[in-house]
Structure formats: C-alpha cells, structure tokens
Amino acid sequence: MRKNVALACIAILGCGCTVGPNYKKPAANVPGTYRGLAEEEAGKTEPGSLGDQKWWEVFQDEQLRSLIRTALQQNYDVRIAGARILQAQAQLGITRADQFRASVQGRE
C-alpha cells in the first residue's frame, strides 16, 4: 500500500514538471534602455548611481543642509558617543599593554 502511494506521488509530481514536446519560448519585449530612456538621453546621463550619492545632496535644499549642519554642531549625544569610543580605545590599549612582559631596570 505504501509503495502504491509513493509511486502515485512521484507520478503526480513528475507530470507537473513536464511541459510538453511542442513548447516554444515566448518572445519578450525588453526595452533597450533602463527606465524607458531613449538612447540619446541614456548617453547624456551621469554614470553615477542615485544610491552612490549623499542623500542630502540629492534633494538640493539649502534649508535641509543648514539643518543638518546645525544638528551636527549641536548634537551632544554624538560628541559623547565619540568620547566614549576614544575612552574604550584607550582602555583597550591599557589592557593589551598588560599582556606584554614588563622589564624593570636594576632587578635581577
């Protein structure tokens, strides 16, 4: 009984994968340029990607730039985080220095 069920399942799955002897691949209409630009316009665009540009330069808004400058100058949380990073790096240097053998002058 189990063999019959297994054979039936294999037959059903095998039939689902077949396409037929007369299958022909359909033709796909693919544009020659990306996002529908004509060939003349495609040559004039910048080679850089939108994802490679800085996001605040993409919008070209002077008010946005001034707000970003103000936020960077007056954001004390970023300064505190930077100070903590420097503190952690110094502590790591001290910890790593303890791993080396210390030599003391005049000691035998």
Side-chain angles (χ1 to χ4, degrees):
M1 179 70 177
R2 285 186 175 176
K3 289 182 183 180
N4 292 337
V5 172
L7 288 174
C9 288
I10 291 173
I12 291 171
L13 290 175
C15 291
C17 295
T18 59
V19 177
N22 298 330
Y23 175 75
K24 293 181 183 174
K25 185 177 178 182
N29 296 328
V30 181
T33 58
Y34 182 66
R35 293 191 181 180
L37 292 176
E39 291 182 18
E40 303 86 32
E41 295 174 359
K44 296 177 185 176
T45 59
E46 296 179 9
S49 171
L50 182 65
D52 293 336
Q53 296 178 5
K54 297 177 182 176
W55 64 269
W56 57 87
E57 292 177 356
V58 171
F59 294 109
Q60 298 178 356
D61 185 18
E62 191 55 42
Q63 185 177 5
L64 175 65
R65 291 180 185 157
S66 68
L67 289 172
I68 291 171
R69 268 188 252 113
T70 304
L72 290 175
Q73 290 172 354
Q74 297 179 359
N75 192 350
Y76 298 114
D77 292 338
V78 173
R79 292 182 184 174
I80 292 169
R84 287 182 181 164
I85 289 172
L86 293 175
Q87 181 183 7
Q89 288 174 343
Q91 186 64 37
L92 179 65
I94 292 169
T95 304
R96 285 191 176 163
D98 290 339
Q99 295 174 352
F100 300 114
R101 188 166 46 154
S103 64
V104 179
Q105 295 290 348
R107 186 173 182 197
E108 295 181 25

XYZ file of all heavy atoms in Angstrom:
830
model
N 0.826 -1.188 0.000
C 0.000 0.000 0.000
C 0.872 1.255 0.000
O 0.575 2.207 -0.717
C -0.919 -0.053 1.235
C -1.819 1.129 1.379
S -3.053 1.081 0.091
C -4.002 2.475 0.523
N 1.925 1.233 0.807
C 2.811 2.391 0.861
C 3.522 2.603 -0.474
O 3.740 3.737 -0.875
C 3.838 2.218 1.966
C 3.281 2.432 3.331
C 4.383 2.388 4.339
N 3.895 2.703 5.667
C 4.611 2.670 6.745
N 5.881 2.307 6.675
N 4.097 2.976 7.911
N 3.896 1.504 -1.114
C 4.580 1.616 -2.395
C 3.664 2.236 -3.436
O 4.098 3.058 -4.252
C 5.055 0.245 -2.872
C 6.194 -0.312 -2.066
C 6.649 -1.634 -2.618
C 7.758 -2.229 -1.755
N 8.225 -3.516 -2.277
N 2.404 1.881 -3.400
C 1.443 2.450 -4.356
C 1.258 3.945 -4.142
O 1.180 4.719 -5.101
C 0.097 1.722 -4.256
C 0.194 0.283 -4.735
O 1.076 -0.060 -5.504
N -0.721 -0.559 -4.263
N 1.183 4.360 -2.896
C 1.014 5.786 -2.579
C 2.270 6.553 -3.004
O 2.187 7.640 -3.586
C 0.722 5.966 -1.076
C 0.732 7.442 -0.702
C -0.610 5.340 -0.711
N 3.435 5.968 -2.724
C 4.682 6.626 -3.098
C 4.800 6.744 -4.615
O 5.194 7.792 -5.140
C 5.871 5.867 -2.523
N 4.458 5.693 -5.338
C 4.514 5.742 -6.797
C 3.523 6.756 -7.356
O 3.813 7.476 -8.322
C 4.251 4.359 -7.385
C 5.387 3.335 -7.215
C 4.933 1.968 -7.719
C 6.617 3.785 -7.947
N 2.345 6.851 -6.753
C 1.352 7.818 -7.205
C 1.845 9.250 -6.985
O 1.679 10.121 -7.853
C 0.029 7.583 -6.491
N 2.472 9.486 -5.841
C 3.010 10.826 -5.558
C 4.120 11.187 -6.527
O 4.180 12.315 -7.040
C 3.526 10.892 -4.124
S 2.208 10.906 -2.898
N 5.004 10.251 -6.807
C 6.090 10.502 -7.747
C 5.538 10.765 -9.144
O 5.995 11.657 -9.858
C 7.085 9.327 -7.744
C 7.834 9.295 -6.402
C 8.069 9.443 -8.893
C 8.712 8.093 -6.219
N 4.528 10.009 -9.547
C 3.932 10.195 -10.862
C 3.262 11.564 -10.973
O 3.382 12.251 -11.995
C 2.930 9.079 -11.144
N 2.559 11.974 -9.926
C 1.887 13.274 -9.945
C 2.905 14.407 -9.993
O 2.763 15.362 -10.762
C 0.944 13.412 -8.724
C -0.246 12.464 -8.878
C 0.476 14.846 -8.561
C -1.112 12.369 -7.655
N 3.951 14.312 -9.174
C 4.972 15.346 -9.161
C 5.756 15.372 -10.475
O 6.115 16.438 -10.973
C 5.922 15.139 -7.984
C 5.316 15.400 -6.600
C 6.315 15.037 -5.511
C 4.874 16.828 -6.457
N 6.016 14.210 -11.034
C 6.733 14.145 -12.304
C 5.928 14.719 -13.449
O 6.468 15.386 -14.338
N 4.635 14.510 -13.444
C 3.784 15.051 -14.516
C 3.660 16.563 -14.416
O 3.484 17.245 -15.430
C 2.399 14.411 -14.452
S 2.405 12.675 -14.912
N 3.742 17.083 -13.206
C 3.636 18.527 -13.030
C 4.841 19.278 -13.560
O 4.771 20.468 -13.859
N 5.962 18.610 -13.694
C 7.190 19.256 -14.150
C 7.360 19.213 -15.664
O 8.210 19.914 -16.197
C 8.403 18.598 -13.479
S 8.423 18.839 -11.691
N 6.599 18.418 -16.347
C 6.770 18.328 -17.793
C 6.008 19.444 -18.486
O 4.958 19.886 -18.032
C 6.271 16.974 -18.318
O 4.893 16.825 -17.990
C 7.070 15.833 -17.734
N 6.550 19.910 -19.587
C 5.919 20.998 -20.329
C 5.250 20.471 -21.580
O 4.167 20.892 -21.938
C 6.973 22.071 -20.688
C 6.358 23.173 -21.516
C 7.578 22.642 -19.432
N 5.876 19.586 -22.216
C 5.319 19.034 -23.443
C 6.323 19.121 -24.572
O 7.256 19.926 -24.528
N 6.112 18.342 -25.626
C 7.096 18.328 -26.713
C 7.012 19.548 -27.625
O 7.971 19.876 -28.298
C 6.748 17.055 -27.472
C 5.301 16.844 -27.195
C 5.068 17.360 -25.807
N 5.904 20.267 -27.634
C 5.722 21.384 -28.567
C 5.910 22.746 -27.898
O 5.386 23.747 -28.378
C 4.331 21.313 -29.196
C 4.148 20.040 -29.992
O 5.105 19.502 -30.533
N 2.927 19.555 -30.058
N 6.629 22.788 -26.814
C 6.808 24.054 -26.089
C 7.719 24.982 -26.873
O 8.784 24.589 -27.352
C 7.399 23.806 -24.702
C 7.716 25.078 -23.955
C 6.702 25.837 -23.397
C 9.021 25.535 -23.831
C 6.974 27.004 -22.722
C 9.312 26.696 -23.166
C 8.279 27.434 -22.609
O 8.543 28.593 -21.939
N 7.303 26.237 -26.988
C 8.125 27.265 -27.621
C 8.235 28.438 -26.659
O 7.238 28.876 -26.082
C 7.484 27.733 -28.923
C 7.470 26.661 -29.992
C 6.845 27.166 -31.258
C 6.777 26.037 -32.274
N 6.062 26.432 -33.478
N 9.434 28.920 -26.499
C 9.682 30.029 -25.587
C 9.008 31.289 -26.126
O 9.198 31.649 -27.288
C 11.187 30.252 -25.445
C 11.559 31.296 -24.445
C 13.075 31.391 -24.325
C 13.443 32.474 -23.346
N 14.901 32.614 -23.248
N 8.223 31.988 -25.287
C 7.554 33.194 -25.779
C 8.557 34.342 -25.955
O 9.551 34.432 -25.247
C 6.541 33.516 -24.679
C 7.074 32.863 -23.464
C 7.828 31.658 -23.924
N 8.276 35.200 -26.887
C 9.137 36.362 -27.134
C 8.860 37.414 -26.068
O 7.715 37.684 -25.714
C 8.856 36.934 -28.513
N 9.912 38.005 -25.545
C 9.786 39.041 -24.516
C 10.182 40.381 -25.109
O 11.240 40.519 -25.728
C 10.667 38.710 -23.329
N 9.325 41.372 -24.922
C 9.621 42.717 -25.406
C 10.360 43.465 -24.304
O 9.763 43.975 -23.364
C 8.331 43.451 -25.772
C 7.628 42.778 -26.922
O 8.277 42.197 -27.785
N 6.312 42.831 -26.937
N 11.670 43.542 -24.419
C 12.512 44.189 -23.418
C 13.010 45.504 -23.984
O 13.545 45.535 -25.100
C 13.711 43.273 -23.055
C 14.584 43.931 -22.003
C 13.226 41.922 -22.583
N 12.858 46.609 -23.239
C 13.350 47.887 -23.756
C 14.873 47.892 -23.814
O 15.553 47.222 -23.041
C 12.833 48.914 -22.749
C 12.575 48.141 -21.513
C 12.208 46.756 -21.948
N 15.396 48.680 -24.729
C 16.837 48.747 -24.903
C 17.549 49.524 -23.815
O 18.734 49.359 -23.606
N 16.831 50.406 -23.112
C 17.450 51.218 -22.073
C 16.701 51.043 -20.765
O 15.554 50.615 -20.734
C 17.431 52.712 -22.460
O 16.085 53.108 -22.681
C 18.263 52.968 -23.692
N 17.348 51.407 -19.711
C 16.778 51.280 -18.372
C 15.805 52.416 -18.080
O 16.088 53.573 -18.386
C 17.913 51.277 -17.349
C 17.468 51.113 -15.936
C 16.879 49.940 -15.504
C 17.636 52.132 -15.013
C 16.475 49.777 -14.198
C 17.231 51.975 -13.716
C 16.651 50.797 -13.306
O 16.252 50.650 -12.009
N 14.677 52.088 -17.520
C 13.628 53.031 -17.121
C 13.083 53.850 -18.286
O 12.697 54.999 -18.131
C 14.110 53.962 -16.016
C 14.371 53.265 -14.718
C 14.574 54.236 -13.610
N 14.843 53.517 -12.370
C 15.062 54.086 -11.233
N 15.080 55.389 -11.139
N 15.280 53.370 -10.156
N 13.097 53.305 -19.462
C 12.425 53.915 -20.588
C 13.109 55.118 -21.198
O 12.495 55.866 -21.934
N 14.388 55.362 -20.922
C 15.086 56.476 -21.547
C 15.424 56.121 -22.990
O 15.751 54.986 -23.305
C 16.386 56.792 -20.803
C 16.243 57.365 -19.401
C 17.616 57.524 -18.777
C 15.533 58.692 -19.429
N 15.343 57.112 -23.846
C 15.751 56.895 -25.235
C 17.269 56.768 -25.287
O 17.972 57.165 -24.366
C 15.285 58.058 -26.099
N 17.791 56.219 -26.372
C 19.240 56.003 -26.469
C 20.016 57.311 -26.427
O 21.109 57.379 -25.881
C 19.546 55.237 -27.751
C 19.048 53.812 -27.730
C 19.408 53.059 -28.997
O 20.307 53.514 -29.723
O 18.794 52.015 -29.232
N 19.459 58.378 -26.987
C 20.138 59.674 -26.962
C 20.208 60.219 -25.541
O 21.209 60.767 -25.111
C 19.399 60.694 -27.843
C 19.231 60.277 -29.283
C 17.992 59.416 -29.485
O 16.995 59.580 -28.785
O 18.052 58.554 -30.364
N 19.116 60.049 -24.774
C 19.073 60.530 -23.401
C 19.925 59.668 -22.483
O 20.478 60.153 -21.509
C 17.629 60.552 -22.896
C 16.744 61.535 -23.624
C 15.301 61.419 -23.193
O 15.003 60.571 -22.344
O 14.482 62.177 -23.712
N 20.024 58.386 -22.773
C 20.798 57.489 -21.932
C 22.281 57.841 -21.973
O 22.988 57.691 -20.986
C 20.589 56.040 -22.367
N 22.782 58.324 -23.089
C 24.184 58.702 -23.206
C 24.502 59.994 -22.477
O 25.638 60.249 -22.111
N 23.501 60.846 -22.228
C 23.712 62.140 -21.603
C 23.679 62.084 -20.074
O 24.107 63.018 -19.424
C 22.650 63.127 -22.077
C 22.714 63.428 -23.553
C 21.596 64.359 -23.965
C 21.584 64.578 -25.462
N 20.459 65.405 -25.884
N 23.145 61.031 -19.512
C 23.008 60.968 -18.068
C 24.347 60.679 -17.405
O 25.271 60.169 -18.019
C 22.004 59.873 -17.657
O 22.468 58.616 -18.152
C 20.626 60.175 -18.199
N 24.423 60.987 -16.111
C 25.636 60.737 -15.342
C 25.783 59.244 -15.092
O 24.795 58.552 -14.856
C 25.553 61.469 -14.005
C 25.516 62.974 -14.133
C 25.410 63.642 -12.781
O 25.534 62.953 -11.767
O 25.211 64.852 -12.750
N 27.015 58.747 -15.096
C 27.199 57.316 -14.860
C 26.985 56.921 -13.404
O 26.775 55.776 -13.092
C 28.646 57.069 -15.292
C 29.318 58.389 -15.145
C 28.258 59.415 -15.438
N 27.023 57.887 -12.467
C 26.864 57.580 -11.054
C 25.446 57.161 -10.719
O 24.475 57.629 -11.299
N 25.337 56.283 -9.760
C 24.035 55.796 -9.339
C 23.434 56.726 -8.302
O 24.149 57.418 -7.569
C 24.194 54.391 -8.742
O 22.990 53.978 -8.148
N 22.131 56.737 -8.220
C 21.445 57.538 -7.212
C 21.794 57.029 -5.815
O 21.903 57.807 -4.873
C 19.925 57.468 -7.438
C 19.068 58.296 -6.502
C 19.337 59.776 -6.700
C 17.609 58.004 -6.730
N 22.016 55.736 -5.691
C 22.376 55.166 -4.392
C 23.776 55.524 -3.947
O 24.094 55.432 -2.765
N 24.646 55.953 -4.877
C 26.015 56.322 -4.520
C 26.123 57.767 -4.052
O 27.145 58.159 -3.504
C 26.942 56.110 -5.715
C 27.077 54.647 -6.066
O 26.856 53.800 -5.177
O 27.398 54.353 -7.237
N 25.102 58.563 -4.262
C 25.149 59.971 -3.890
C 24.755 60.140 -2.428
O 24.065 59.313 -1.842
C 24.199 60.779 -4.769
C 24.588 60.765 -6.224
C 23.589 61.536 -7.067
O 22.665 62.147 -6.548
N 23.774 61.512 -8.366
N 25.206 61.235 -1.847
C 24.832 61.549 -0.467
C 23.371 61.997 -0.468
O 22.946 62.764 -1.324
C 25.723 62.647 0.089
C 27.172 62.221 0.165
C 28.043 63.350 0.649
C 29.489 62.903 0.668
N 30.386 63.982 1.032
N 22.610 61.528 0.506
C 21.172 61.763 0.454
C 20.814 63.226 0.597
O 19.833 63.692 0.042
C 20.443 60.912 1.500
C 20.784 61.241 2.917
C 21.761 60.696 3.675
C 20.131 62.196 3.757
N 21.776 61.242 4.916
C 20.775 62.161 5.006
C 19.074 63.075 3.579
C 20.399 62.977 6.054
C 18.690 63.878 4.630
C 19.352 63.819 5.852
N 21.607 64.012 1.326
C 21.261 65.416 1.485
C 21.621 66.214 0.241
O 21.101 67.289 0.040
C 21.934 66.008 2.722
C 23.425 65.890 2.750
C 24.324 66.750 2.208
C 24.176 64.842 3.343
N 25.595 66.305 2.419
C 25.539 65.130 3.131
C 23.860 63.697 4.035
C 26.556 64.311 3.582
C 24.875 62.893 4.481
C 26.193 63.195 4.261
N 22.503 65.677 -0.616
C 22.812 66.356 -1.868
C 21.792 66.022 -2.957
O 21.644 66.763 -3.920
C 24.215 65.975 -2.336
C 25.307 66.520 -1.446
C 26.685 66.084 -1.876
O 26.786 65.292 -2.829
O 27.655 66.527 -1.245
N 21.099 64.912 -2.799
C 20.093 64.527 -3.792
C 18.941 65.525 -3.795
O 18.440 65.911 -4.847
C 19.583 63.096 -3.502
C 18.396 62.759 -4.384
C 20.695 62.087 -3.715
N 18.534 65.993 -2.599
C 17.377 66.876 -2.513
C 17.703 68.309 -2.902
O 16.832 69.073 -3.260
C 16.798 66.840 -1.098
C 16.219 65.500 -0.750
C 16.843 64.679 0.171
C 15.070 65.044 -1.362
C 16.319 63.439 0.482
C 14.538 63.816 -1.058
C 15.171 63.008 -0.133
N 18.958 68.735 -2.829
C 19.398 70.075 -3.207
C 18.561 71.158 -2.548
O 18.045 72.072 -3.189
C 19.384 70.233 -4.734
C 20.315 69.280 -5.428
C 20.265 69.395 -6.922
O 19.467 70.140 -7.471
N 21.107 68.655 -7.606
N 18.445 71.046 -1.234
C 17.670 72.014 -0.467
C 18.598 72.674 0.548
O 19.177 72.010 1.404
C 16.510 71.307 0.243
C 15.596 72.268 0.973
O 15.640 73.476 0.675
O 14.833 71.801 1.843
N 18.746 73.990 0.452
C 19.669 74.701 1.335
C 19.183 74.691 2.781
O 19.986 74.633 3.712
C 19.857 76.142 0.844
C 20.987 76.864 1.535
C 22.314 76.127 1.431
O 22.647 75.595 0.370
O 23.037 76.084 2.451
N 17.896 74.728 2.995
C 17.368 74.680 4.353
C 17.676 73.329 5.001
O 18.046 73.274 6.169
C 15.860 74.932 4.350
C 15.275 75.004 5.749
C 13.786 75.317 5.732
O 13.178 75.387 4.669
N 13.218 75.513 6.891
N 17.562 72.258 4.246
C 17.903 70.932 4.754
C 19.378 70.865 5.114
O 19.746 70.349 6.169
C 17.559 69.853 3.725
C 17.959 68.425 4.071
C 17.179 67.935 5.279
C 17.750 67.503 2.894
N 20.229 71.424 4.274
C 21.667 71.419 4.558
C 21.998 72.216 5.808
O 22.840 71.817 6.612
C 22.434 71.966 3.361
C 22.399 71.047 2.167
C 23.160 71.617 1.006
N 23.006 70.768 -0.170
C 23.161 71.175 -1.405
N 23.502 72.424 -1.653
N 23.001 70.333 -2.406
N 21.327 73.354 5.993
C 21.590 74.150 7.194
C 21.100 73.419 8.448
O 21.754 73.477 9.497
C 20.936 75.528 7.083
O 19.524 75.411 7.104
N 19.990 72.720 8.356
C 19.513 71.939 9.495
C 20.471 70.798 9.833
O 20.713 70.502 11.007
C 18.111 71.389 9.212
C 16.971 72.393 9.204
C 15.683 71.730 8.724
C 16.784 72.988 10.580
N 21.033 70.175 8.824
C 21.995 69.090 9.058
C 23.253 69.643 9.710
O 23.786 69.059 10.664
C 22.312 68.362 7.738
C 21.087 67.589 7.265
C 23.495 67.422 7.906
C 21.220 67.009 5.888
N 23.737 70.810 9.229
C 24.918 71.427 9.839
C 24.659 71.775 11.305
O 25.485 71.516 12.172
C 25.305 72.685 9.066
C 26.315 72.420 7.984
C 26.825 73.708 7.362
N 26.246 73.783 6.022
C 25.361 74.656 5.598
N 24.929 75.602 6.389
N 24.892 74.630 4.369
N 23.494 72.339 11.586
C 23.140 72.694 12.967
C 23.061 71.457 13.846
O 23.549 71.447 14.986
C 21.788 73.436 12.990
O 21.874 74.571 12.141
C 21.425 73.866 14.391
N 22.461 70.399 13.327
C 22.335 69.170 14.104
C 23.694 68.558 14.394
O 23.939 68.064 15.508
C 21.458 68.171 13.348
N 24.603 68.597 13.445
C 25.931 68.028 13.673
C 26.746 68.866 14.658
O 27.523 68.328 15.440
C 26.685 67.894 12.346
C 26.150 66.824 11.395
C 26.903 66.877 10.073
C 26.262 65.451 12.018
N 26.555 70.189 14.630
C 27.309 71.052 15.532
C 26.758 70.997 16.962
O 27.520 71.083 17.918
C 27.275 72.493 15.031
C 28.084 72.702 13.771
C 27.876 74.074 13.182
O 27.039 74.854 13.651
N 28.614 74.387 12.124
N 25.458 70.850 17.117
C 24.850 70.945 18.437
C 24.386 69.607 18.997
O 23.738 69.577 20.033
C 23.662 71.906 18.385
C 24.078 73.316 18.021
C 22.899 74.257 17.938
O 21.762 73.863 18.127
N 23.183 75.517 17.656
N 24.714 68.533 18.352
C 24.285 67.226 18.822
C 25.315 66.707 19.819
O 26.348 66.169 19.447
C 24.123 66.254 17.649
C 23.411 64.998 18.066
O 23.193 64.753 19.233
N 23.058 64.187 17.102
N 25.009 66.874 21.096
C 25.947 66.481 22.134
C 25.993 64.967 22.315
O 26.990 64.442 22.806
C 25.584 67.172 23.445
C 25.669 68.680 23.328
C 24.537 69.473 23.419
C 26.882 69.304 23.088
C 24.623 70.849 23.300
C 26.975 70.680 22.960
C 25.842 71.439 23.073
O 25.922 72.788 22.938
N 24.938 64.280 21.928
C 24.943 62.824 22.043
C 26.020 62.205 21.162
O 26.682 61.246 21.547
C 23.573 62.246 21.667
C 22.500 62.619 22.673
O 22.851 62.936 23.821
O 21.323 62.584 22.299
N 26.210 62.760 19.985
C 27.239 62.248 19.086
C 28.622 62.528 19.662
O 29.517 61.683 19.603
C 27.089 62.869 17.680
C 28.246 62.489 16.786
C 25.778 62.452 17.064
N 28.785 63.703 20.254
C 30.074 64.028 20.880
C 30.348 63.103 22.057
O 31.482 62.651 22.246
C 30.082 65.476 21.342
C 30.071 66.455 20.193
C 30.130 67.863 20.681
N 30.019 68.789 19.562
C 29.920 70.083 19.696
N 29.922 70.625 20.892
N 29.823 70.850 18.630
N 29.335 62.825 22.860
C 29.511 61.920 23.998
C 29.850 60.522 23.507
O 30.733 59.857 24.054
C 28.233 61.913 24.870
C 28.054 63.270 25.561
C 28.282 60.792 25.899
C 26.711 63.445 26.229
N 29.173 60.072 22.464
C 29.457 58.743 21.913
C 30.877 58.689 21.365
O 31.586 57.690 21.553
C 28.447 58.400 20.820
N 31.322 59.747 20.715
C 32.695 59.790 20.209
C 33.708 59.755 21.336
O 34.744 59.083 21.244
N 33.422 60.481 22.423
C 34.321 60.459 23.586
C 34.363 59.072 24.215
O 35.426 58.605 24.658
C 33.868 61.488 24.613
N 33.229 58.389 24.250
C 33.203 57.033 24.805
C 33.992 56.064 23.936
O 34.632 55.142 24.438
C 31.766 56.555 24.951
C 31.051 57.235 26.093
C 29.653 56.719 26.261
N 28.988 57.403 27.349
C 27.694 57.401 27.553
N 26.900 56.745 26.720
N 27.173 58.045 28.565
N 33.954 56.260 22.631
C 34.739 55.406 21.737
C 36.226 55.616 21.991
O 36.996 54.653 22.093
C 34.372 55.688 20.267
C 32.972 55.152 19.968
C 35.396 55.068 19.319
C 32.448 55.538 18.606
N 36.643 56.873 22.121
C 38.048 57.148 22.412
C 38.458 56.579 23.760
O 39.563 56.054 23.924
C 38.306 58.652 22.363
C 38.163 59.309 20.984
C 38.326 60.816 21.099
C 39.168 58.729 20.022
N 37.571 56.668 24.733
C 37.849 56.118 26.057
C 37.995 54.598 25.988
O 38.900 54.026 26.603
C 36.723 56.494 27.018
C 36.909 55.993 28.422
C 35.725 56.348 29.311
O 34.709 56.858 28.838
N 35.871 56.080 30.595
N 37.130 53.940 25.226
C 37.208 52.483 25.092
C 38.482 52.069 24.366
O 39.119 51.061 24.724
C 35.984 51.959 24.350
N 38.900 52.839 23.374
C 40.144 52.530 22.675
C 41.342 52.678 23.597
O 42.270 51.869 23.563
C 40.300 53.433 21.447
C 39.356 53.093 20.327
C 39.434 54.088 19.171
O 39.951 55.193 19.314
N 38.904 53.678 18.026
N 41.334 53.704 24.443
C 42.430 53.883 25.402
C 42.459 52.746 26.409
O 43.526 52.227 26.755
C 42.282 55.230 26.112
N 41.298 52.353 26.887
C 41.229 51.249 27.840
C 41.710 49.949 27.207
O 42.389 49.150 27.851
C 39.792 51.080 28.358
C 39.652 50.051 29.450
C 40.411 50.425 30.713
O 40.464 51.602 31.084
N 41.013 49.453 31.363
N 41.401 49.746 25.941
C 41.878 48.562 25.230
C 43.398 48.576 25.115
O 44.049 47.540 25.290
C 41.244 48.494 23.839
C 41.673 47.326 22.959
C 41.213 46.004 23.564
C 41.127 47.482 21.556
N 43.968 49.734 24.863
C 45.423 49.847 24.803
C 46.072 49.519 26.133
O 47.111 48.856 26.201
N 45.456 49.958 27.214
C 45.983 49.652 28.546
C 45.884 48.157 28.823
O 46.816 47.534 29.336
C 45.226 50.470 29.615
C 45.543 51.950 29.462
C 45.565 49.980 31.019
C 44.664 52.857 30.281
N 44.763 47.568 28.464
C 44.569 46.131 28.698
C 45.551 45.312 27.878
O 46.118 44.330 28.368
C 43.128 45.740 28.344
O 42.234 46.543 29.102
C 42.872 44.279 28.637
N 45.767 45.706 26.657
C 46.719 44.971 25.808
C 48.157 45.156 26.297
O 48.984 44.279 26.119
C 46.596 45.420 24.361
C 45.369 44.877 23.694
C 45.415 45.104 22.217
N 44.257 44.483 21.579
C 43.854 44.775 20.371
N 44.496 45.677 19.658
N 42.807 44.178 19.857
N 48.447 46.289 26.896
C 49.798 46.508 27.413
C 50.104 45.563 28.568
O 51.260 45.197 28.784
C 49.962 47.958 27.853
N 49.083 45.162 29.315
C 49.289 44.228 30.420
C 49.660 42.834 29.929
O 50.158 42.014 30.705
C 48.029 44.143 31.296
C 47.812 45.421 32.084
O 48.787 46.176 32.263
O 46.666 45.659 32.509
N 49.439 42.537 28.671
C 49.750 41.221 28.137
C 51.241 41.037 27.885
O 51.721 39.917 27.799
C 48.986 40.988 26.824
C 47.497 40.950 26.997
C 46.769 40.863 25.667
O 47.364 40.982 24.607
N 45.471 40.652 25.734
N 51.970 42.138 27.762
C 53.395 42.055 27.488
C 54.193 41.951 28.785
O 53.761 42.406 29.850
C 53.856 43.280 26.687
C 53.160 43.417 25.371
C 52.309 44.485 25.112
C 53.340 42.470 24.382
C 51.682 44.612 23.905
C 52.700 42.584 23.158
C 51.874 43.652 22.925
N 55.363 41.368 28.684
C 56.215 41.200 29.844
C 56.820 42.546 30.192
O 57.309 43.287 29.340
C 57.312 40.188 29.534
C 58.115 39.824 30.727
C 58.947 38.619 30.489
N 59.660 38.644 29.223
C 60.781 37.988 28.990
N 61.310 37.258 29.924
N 61.345 38.049 27.815
N 56.799 42.875 31.455
C 57.351 44.125 31.910
C 58.813 43.928 32.298
O 59.174 42.939 32.931
C 56.572 44.659 33.115
N 59.658 44.867 31.925
C 61.056 44.784 32.333
C 61.339 45.960 33.241
O 60.998 47.103 32.949
C 61.962 44.813 31.102
O 61.835 46.042 30.443
N 61.952 45.669 34.377
C 62.264 46.693 35.366
C 63.772 46.816 35.440
O 64.480 45.803 35.562
C 61.650 46.336 36.736
C 62.001 47.394 37.758
C 60.160 46.152 36.611
N 64.273 48.018 35.403
C 65.713 48.249 35.473
C 66.216 47.955 36.874
O 65.604 48.307 37.873
C 66.033 49.707 35.117
C 65.719 50.080 33.707
C 66.687 49.412 32.732
O 67.713 48.851 33.115
N 66.353 49.466 31.445
N 67.373 47.305 36.953
C 68.010 47.035 38.242
C 67.474 45.828 38.953
O 67.867 45.524 40.062
N 66.575 45.108 38.367
C 66.008 43.927 39.009
C 66.616 42.698 38.353
O 66.713 42.600 37.151
C 64.492 43.943 38.830
C 63.828 42.851 39.589
C 62.331 43.026 39.508
N 61.694 41.987 40.286
C 60.459 41.640 40.209
N 59.684 42.271 39.354
N 59.958 40.702 40.948
N 66.953 41.734 39.151
C 67.583 40.552 38.612
C 66.638 39.433 38.425
O 65.826 38.994 39.031
C 68.739 40.120 39.491
C 69.842 41.156 39.482
C 71.001 40.693 40.337
O 71.191 39.498 40.546
O 71.707 41.569 40.806
